[in-house]
Amino acid sequence: MLKPDYETSELSQLRHSVQRFLSTEVAPYHEQWEQQGSTPRAIWTAAGAQGFLCPTVKEVNGGVEADFRFSAVINEEIGRSGYSGLIGFGIHSDICAPYIDHYGTTEQQQHYLPKLCSGDMIAAIAMSEPGAGSDLQAIKTKAVLEGDHYILNGTKTFISNGQNADIVIVAAKTDPKEGAKGVSLFLVESQWQGFERGRNLSKIGMKAQDTSELFFQDITLPRSALLGEEGKGFKYLMQELPQERLMIASNAIGAAEGALSWTIAYAKERKTFGKSLLEHQHIRFKLAELQSDIVAGRAFHDRCLALHVEGLLSVGLAASVKQWCSDLQCRVMDECLQIHGGYGYMWEYPIARAWADARVQRIYAGSNEIMKELIAREIEASIN
């Protein structure tokens, strides 16, 4: 595989540390986690002790104050490993923590961020609803101000980390008449009265990653639970979504590289018609095509990562890298499974899990159809 453009000796050491962590702390148990439908809290605190959670958070709040390349290494290696139960690390570290870091008060930052960095608290973000997925303006969850507190009511679904979460960033309407300008964000703790977890949803893939329905019934929220300014929630979401989409691209490119390496190893060993699969021209050419596609995807990802570190990654380009890399991931998984033949359809083979895990990448953080709309808008704006 092509060495990442952004790799430094420090990041290379981090990559090896993450690989060791995955092989010793995750590999022996991941199948069990798939059966139980979630990862144990102990793996979160173990990751926190290694500095693998919330690395971009400032040191004063418990992080290592690294740039996003640090997160990219972690997300790539989780993708490469196939241990999809740890996808929640990225949601916790690269989506939830930055909202608090960027828009929270000093008190909110000091209270929550050290616990998120250590893994003592697990975070989730609740945007999607039964009737509102990619269309965030259509959410119906409401937070009504009554004196010195808000009353929160609503339902969220498809919430990653939902079963384990201690703190949930909830998007709610504070002024339903204002559309996008009426959306606010709130920090809601799972211990508060009126917070209820629904079932752990049964998914096609990512079996070890808990995904839940969440219910909020007349939860009394102090004013201090408001994250940032009232009515600015939609703006905050739009500002943070490019990083979320880059995070998915990092995971996707790592997963594609991992699947190709498994498939090359399989093709060397598997014999058909008296020779290895790798000696058949069709298989050799198919692997060559996949290699070229992944190298191109890697170059695109690394360029977008560099732009993001510089603060220059646009909404449209973030949508492009998410759409391209997740489409690539799904295509690679399908081709690699095909090369594995019947064994590729067996759950005990990593490629079967990776194939099932990959499909959601084209759906969440905005479906790839929404990504194309965002790309088209940026094209239109550039010519007007």
Side-chain angles (χ1 to χ4, degrees), residues 202-213:
S202 180
K203 307 183 295 297
I204 292 173
M206 294 191 176
K207 299 289 190 181
Q209 170 59 50
D210 59 302
T211 308
S212 305
E213 300 168 313

Side-chain angles (χ1 to χ4, degrees), residues 129 140-144 151-155 172 216-219:
E129 297 182 1
K140 297 186 181 302
T141 297
K142 295 180 181 179
V144 179
I151 301 298
L152 178 68
N153 281 282
T155 300
F216 315 109
Q217 184 172 358
D218 293 327
I219 300 181

